[in-house]
Amino acid sequence: MSAPVVEGWRHVSSGKVRELYVPDGTADTADATELLLVASDRVSAYDFALEPPIPGKGELLTRLSRFWFDRLADVPNHLLPPSAGGTPVPAAVESRSMHVMPLTMFPVECVVRGWLVGSGWAEYQESGSVCGVPLPAGLSNGDRLPEPIYTPAYKAPQGEHDENISFEQTVELVGGQDAETLRDLSLRVYAEAAAIALEHGVVIADTKFEFGRGADGVVRIADEVLTSDSSRYWDARGANRTESFDKQIVRDWLSANWDRQGTPPVLPAEVVDRTAARYRELIERLGA
């Protein structure tokens, strides 16, 4: 599917979910002083883009990112303030786009886990640890961890799988000071967001952040933040935590119907509709 034409902007690349634009007349991305990130309705899981898209997803998740950027305003982010001016963002894409400053991105996915679930639960059953972090014995699937843990991953090039790495490997990638900054910011943002979500009866079981450094030298949180694509949300009062406010519905269906070999199967309409409904319900619960 080709990227939408956006007046005043030139398309430069496509991710699994987002499209990246620079202002018309900008020769190279490296020369840009502003960027436009436009979220599509595409959905991905297990590093594959899936079909069909989830109707309205791009707008809903952009709305959720903006909500969290606003609530976490004490954490530097990549959004350009309206006062910055620059290239106008057309109304046709405004609700699903973010006008941002260029950053030099760190090659690290900053994962924070507050609850034992998913791949973490599978690893814990085998080793008693998650991504090399030892945990107490006797935990069950869906249990809250004694304290949130930081489990970074190496951001692999497009089309390849991300790889869990140790904190020491992060130091090798980005240096000790930046590795500590990424870890401390990730744990801080998770703690703040988890407390806010809990006030609305919602648990953030785990999430992943991405950070970059701006031209001003400041480390900033970037891309999406605490969306249903990057986080695992649960109803704090729910007995069945498989009913997540995120794309776990998609992951569960794929796990039951695909061996992860070859092209993923087309998602059934029922899975698409349920996922869209859960995205909308989370927005309503948080008041975003």
Side-chain angles (χ1 to χ4, degrees), residues 76-95:
N77 63 59
H78 67 159
L79 293 180
L80 284 170
S83 59
T87 307
V89 178
V93 297
E94 197 278 333
S95 64

Side-chain angles (χ1 to χ4, degrees), residues 88-112:
V89 178
V93 297
E94 197 278 333
S95 64
R96 56 189 178 94
S97 66
M98 289 188 288
H99 191 193
V100 303
M101 63 185 71
L103 302 177
T104 300
M105 300 300 294
F106 292 101
V108 179
E109 225 175 37
C110 299
V111 181
V112 181

Side-chain angles (χ1 to χ4, degrees), residues 236-280:
R237 300 180 292 271
N240 183 2
R241 289 203 169 116
T242 61
E243 291 295 318
S244 302
F245 293 104
D246 51 46
K247 62 180 180 183
Q248 190 61 40
I249 295 167
V250 171
R251 295 191 197 98
D252 289 346
W253 185 86
L254 281 177
S255 295
N257 294 276
W258 183 47
D259 60 4
R260 302 199 199 181
Q261 301 298 314
T263 303
V266 173
L267 300 174
E270 181 265 344
V271 169
V272 171
D273 292 344
R274 285 177 56 213
T275 301
R278 293 298 278 178
Y279 283 179
R280 289 192 296 269

Side-chain angles (χ1 to χ4, degrees), residues 15-31:
K16 289 192 291 286
V17 173
R18 287 170 186 77
E19 308 290 351
L20 179 65
Y21 296 80
V22 296
D24 281 345
T26 304
D28 187 84
T29 308
D31 300 325

Side-chain angles (χ1 to χ4, degrees), residues 49-254:
L50 308 173
E51 292 290 344
I54 308 296
K57 173 177 174 286
E59 181 174 345
L60 288 170
L61 297 197
T62 300
R63 183 172 163 186
L64 195 54
S65 277
R66 289 175 175 171
F67 167 80
W68 283 116
F69 281 131
D70 182 62
R71 295 301 301 269
L72 302 165
D74 58 331
V75 180
N77 63 59
H78 67 159
L79 293 180
L80 284 170
S83 59
T87 307
V89 178
V93 297
E94 197 278 333
S95 64
R96 56 189 178 94
S97 66
M98 289 188 288
H99 191 193
V100 303
M101 63 185 71
L103 302 177
T104 300
M105 300 300 294
F106 292 101
V108 179
E109 225 175 37
C110 299
V111 181
V112 181
R113 304 169 189 262
W115 300 70
L116 187 59
V117 67
S119 61
W121 165 241
E123 182 181 343
Y124 174 78
Q125 292 177 89
E126 295 180 359
S127 64
S129 63
V130 175
C131 298
V133 179
L135 295 175
L139 296 177
S140 299
N141 189 22
D143 278 356
R144 187 172 189 171
L145 300 178
E147 60 183 42
I149 60 174
Y150 176 66
T151 59
Y154 170 67
K155 284 198 303 187
Q158 184 75 23
E160 299 181 24
H161 295 286
D162 294 341
E163 174 189 355
N164 291 335
I165 58 176
S166 65
F167 178 76
E168 290 70 26
Q169 288 172 298
T170 308
V171 172
E172 294 175 7
L173 280 173
V174 303
Q177 183 173 343
D178 283 338
E180 290 181 5
T181 296
L182 297 182
R183 178 194 62 198
D184 295 349
L185 271 175
S186 298
L187 290 168
R188 171 188 162 193
V189 173
Y190 174 81
E192 291 184 21
I196 292 170
L198 199 56
E199 293 173 0
H200 297 271
V202 177
V203 165
I204 304 176
D206 53 37
T207 191
K208 59 184 178 182
F209 304 112
E210 295 191 31
F211 294 90
R213 177 175 278 110
D216 55 3
V218 175
V219 174
R220 298 175 179 274
I221 195 167
D223 198 45
E224 61 183 342
V225 60
L226 294 157
T227 70
S228 307
D229 274 7
S230 65
S231 313
R232 198 186 312 259
Y233 282 94
W234 293 338
D235 187 333
R237 300 180 292 271
N240 183 2
R241 289 203 169 116
T242 61
E243 291 295 318
S244 302
F245 293 104
D246 51 46
K247 62 180 180 183
Q248 190 61 40
I249 295 167
V250 171
R251 295 191 197 98
D252 289 346
W253 185 86
L254 281 177

